[in-house]
Amino acid sequence: MSTVLMLITSTGVVLAESDRAGLVLSTSYGGDMKECLDCHDANQAREVLRTPHGMVGDARTPLAGKGCESCHGPAGEHANQPRKFRAAISFNQDIVMGAADQNAVCLGCHKGGQQKHWHLSEHAKADIACADCHIVHTYKDRVRSKNEQAQVCLGCHQDQRANLMKYSRHPIREGVVTCTSCHEVHGGKGDGMLVEMTVNETCYQCHAEKRGPFLFEHEPVQDDCTHCHQPHGSVNDNLLSARPPFLCQQCHIASRHVGTNYVTGNVVGNNRLIGKSCTNCHGQVHGTNHPAGMTFRR
Ligand code: HEC
Ligand code: HEC
Ligand code: HEC
Ligand code: HEC
Ligand code: HEC
Ligand code: HEC
Ligand code: HEC
Ligand code: HEC
Ligand code: HEC
Ligand code: HEC
C-alpha cells in the first residue's frame, strides 16, 4: 500500500477510489519505458530495473520485451491521459481484475520450476495472487528473505503466529528454519503443500537419523511424525502434541503394562513420574538397533 501511495504522490496526482473505478482500460501499447518513468519517477517504480526482471540483456525478462507493459499490459492511452485511462493490468489492490487473471501474467513466463503445480495449490484455490506474497518492484522481496519470510505468511496465517511464540518450536523466528523448509507454497507434491510427498520425508531432510533403518521400528514413527509432534510449536517439550504418559497412552492401553496414570491418585511420588515419564525407561522411542531393544529401552 505504501508503495502505491508514494508512487502516486510522486506524480502529483491522486485519484479518488470512485474516479479510479471509472477509468477505462488502455488497449494499445505505448512502447517507451522512459515515458512511464517520467511520471512514475519514485524509487519504487525504478527499483524494478535493478531486479532480475530488469535485466534487459536477458531476452527472457519483461524489460527486454515490452518493458513495463510486459506485466502491466497495454498502457498507451494511459500514458497520454492518465486521468481517463488506466494500464490494462494492475496488481494487488486492483478493482477490476481478479487474482487468477493477474497471476496469468506471471505464469506466462513462470510456468515451469517451482510454479508448475500452482493450479493445484491451496493458494490458487483460495484466489491468492502472486503479488500477495511477492513484491516485484524491489530487489528485497521479503518473502524470499529467510528472516522476514514468516512475517509475510503470518499476515494471513494467524494461528501459526501463536504457534511460533510457544515454548517448544522450530527456530523460524531466528531464520534457521523457514516455512518453505517444509512447505512448497506454489503447490507441493503431497498434502499440506509439503516440499516432499509425505510428512516423514519432509522431516528426514534435516532429521535424517530418525529414518533408520532400525532393527526394531516403532510403527507410528515410520508412519507419520505428527502422531506425536506438532511441527509449528507446542507447550510441551520437544514439540510433543501431548505430555507423556498421556502421549503414549493414546495408543497404549494403560490397563496392561504400568497401568497407572502417573499424575493422579496413589502413585504420587512414584519415581517413574519424574520428568520424562514413559521415556525414562523407553528412551529410544524412534526405534533402535540394539539386539535387546524390542521395547525401545536401549
Ligand atoms: C503523464 C503521466 C503518466 C505517464 C506517462 C504514465 N502514467 Fe501510469 N499513472 C499516472 C497516474 C497519475 C496514475 C495514478 C492513477 C490512479 O490514481 O489510479 C498512474 C497509475 C498507474 C498504474 C496503477 C494504476 C492503474 O491501475 O492503472 C500503473 C500500473 C501505471 N500507471 C503504469 C504505467 C505504465 C506502464 C506507463 C508507461 C506505458 C505509465 N503508467 C505512464 C500517470 C502516468
Ligand atoms: C516476460 C517474462 C516474465 C514475466 C511476465 C514475469 N517474470 Fe518473473 N522472472 C522472469 C525472468 C526471466 C526471471 C529471472 C529468472 C532467472 O534469473 O533464472 C524472473 C525472476 C523472478 C523471480 C526471482 C527473482 C530473483 O531475485 O531471483 C520472482 C520472484 C519472479 N520472477 C516473480 C514474478 C511475478 C510475481 C510476476 C508477475 C507479477 C513475474 N515474475 C512476471 C520473467 C518474467
Ligand atoms: C504464499 C506466498 C507465495 C505466493 C502466493 C507465490 N510465491 Fe513465489 N515464492 C514464495 C517464496 C517463499 C519463494 C522462495 C522459495 C524458497 O525459498 O524455496 C518464492 C519463490 C519464487 C520464485 C523464485 C524461485 C524460482 O522458482 O525460480 C519465482 C519465480 C516465484 N516465486 C514466482 C511466483 C509466481 C509466478 C507466483 C504466482 C503464480 C508466486 N510465486 C506465488 C512465495 C510465494
Ligand atoms: C514483473 C512484472 C512487472 C514489471 C516488469 C513492472 N511492474 Fe509495476 N507492478 C507489478 C506488480 C506485481 C505490482 C504490485 C506491487 C508490487 O508487487 O510491487 C506493480 C505495481 C506498480 C505500480 C503501483 C500501482 C499498482 O498497480 O499496484 C505502478 C505505478 C507500476 N507498477 C508501474 C510500473 C512501471 C512504470 C514499470 C516499468 C518501469 C513497471 N511497473 C514494471 C509488476 C510489474
Ligand atoms: C494473502 C494471504 C496468504 C498469505 C500471504 C499466505 N497464505 Fe497460505 N493460505 C492462504 C489461504 C486463504 C489458504 C487456504 C485456506 C487455508 O487452508 O487456510 C492457504 C493455505 C496454505 C497452506 C495449506 C493448508 C492446507 O490445508 O493444506 C499452507 C501450508 C500455507 N498456506 C502456507 C503458507 C506459507 C508458508 C506462506 C508464506 C510463504 C503463506 N501460506 C502465505 C492465505 C495466505
Ligand atoms: C518443520 C516443518 C514445518 C515448518 C517449518 C512449517 N510447517 Fe506448516 N505444516 C507442517 C506439517 C507437517 C503440516 C501438516 C501437513 C498435513 O497435515 O499433511 C503443516 C501444516 C500447515 C498448514 C495447514 C493447517 C494446519 O495447521 O494443519 C498451514 C497453514 C501451515 N502449515 C503454515 C505454515 C507457516 C505459515 C509456516 C511458517 C511460519 C509453517 N507452516 C512452517 C510442517 C511445517
Ligand atoms: C530445515 C531443517 C528442518 C526440517 C525440515 C525439520 N526440522 Fe525439526 N529441527 C530443526 C532444527 C534446526 C531444530 C532445532 C535444533 C536445536 O535447537 O538444536 C529442530 C528441532 C526439532 C525438534 C526438537 C524441538 C525442541 O523443542 O527441542 C523436534 C521434535 C523436531 N525438530 C521435529 C521435526 C519434525 C516432526 C519435522 C517434520 C515435520 C521437522 N522437525 C523438520 C530443523 C528441521
Ligand atoms: C511415538 C511418538 C513419536 C513419534 C511418532 C515421533 N517422535 Fe520424535 N520424539 C518423541 C518423544 C517422546 C521425544 C522426546 C524424547 C525423550 O523424551 O527422550 C521425541 C523427540 C524428538 C526430537 C528431539 C530429540 C531427538 O531425539 O533428537 C526430534 C528431532 C524428533 N523427535 C523427531 C521426530 C521425527 C523426525 C519423527 C518422524 C520420523 C518423530 N520424531 C516421530 C516421540 C515421537
Ligand atoms: C499413534 C499410536 C502410538 C503412540 C502415540 C505410541 N505408540 Fe508405541 N506402539 C504403537 C504401535 C502400533 C506399536 C506396535 C505394536 C505391536 O507391534 O504390537 C507400538 C509399540 C511400542 C512398544 C513395543 C511393544 C512391543 O510389544 O514390542 C513400546 C515399548 C512402545 N510402543 C512404547 C511407546 C511409548 C513409550 C510411547 C510414548 C512416547 C508410545 N509407544 C507412543 C503405537 C503408538
Ligand atoms: C520403570 C521403567 C518403565 C516405565 C516408566 C515404563 N515402562 Fe514400559 N516397559 C518396561 C519394561 C522393563 C518392559 C519390558 C517388559 C517385558 O519384557 O515383559 C516394558 C514394556 C512395555 C511395552 C511392551 C510390553 C507390554 O507389556 O505391552 C509397552 C507397550 C510399554 N512398555 C509401554 C509403556 C508406556 C506407554 C509407558 C508410560 C505410560 C511405560 N511403558 C513406562 C519398563 C518401563
Side-chain angles (χ1 to χ4, degrees), residues 216-221 223-224 226-228 240-241 244-252 256-257 276-285 293-297:
F216 298 104
E217 295 182 339
H218 193 188
E219 270 82 343
V221 178
D223 186 47
D224 190 332
T226 60
H227 282 309
C228 299
L240 291 174
S241 50
F246 306 108
L247 175 75
C248 316
Q249 289 173 342
Q250 292 171 60
C251 299
H252 294 286
R256 183 169 167 188
H257 162 70
K276 299 194 283 183
S277 179
C278 310
T279 52
N280 274 328
C281 299
H282 299 285
Q284 308 295 321
V285 285
M294 181 127 88
T295 56
F296 313 130
R297 285 174 295 120

Side-chain angles (χ1 to χ4, degrees), residues 168-171 176-177 181-182 199 202-203 205-207 225-226 229 231 237-239:
S168 173
R169 57 181 175 81
H170 272 107
V176 176
V177 173
S181 302
C182 296
V199 170
T202 303
C203 309
Q205 292 178 103
C206 302
H207 302 290
C225 309
T226 60
H229 293 290
D237 277 338
N238 291 300
L239 289 165

Side-chain angles (χ1 to χ4, degrees), residues 157-188:
H157 294 291
Q158 289 290 342
D159 44 343
Q160 306 307 347
R161 184 186 296 278
N163 280 330
L164 293 197
M165 303 307 284
K166 287 179 182 166
Y167 163 68
S168 173
R169 57 181 175 81
H170 272 107
I172 295 176
R173 273 156 52 194
E174 293 77 4
V176 176
V177 173
T178 62
C179 306
T180 50
S181 302
C182 296
H183 293 291
E184 174 44 86
V185 293
H186 307 97

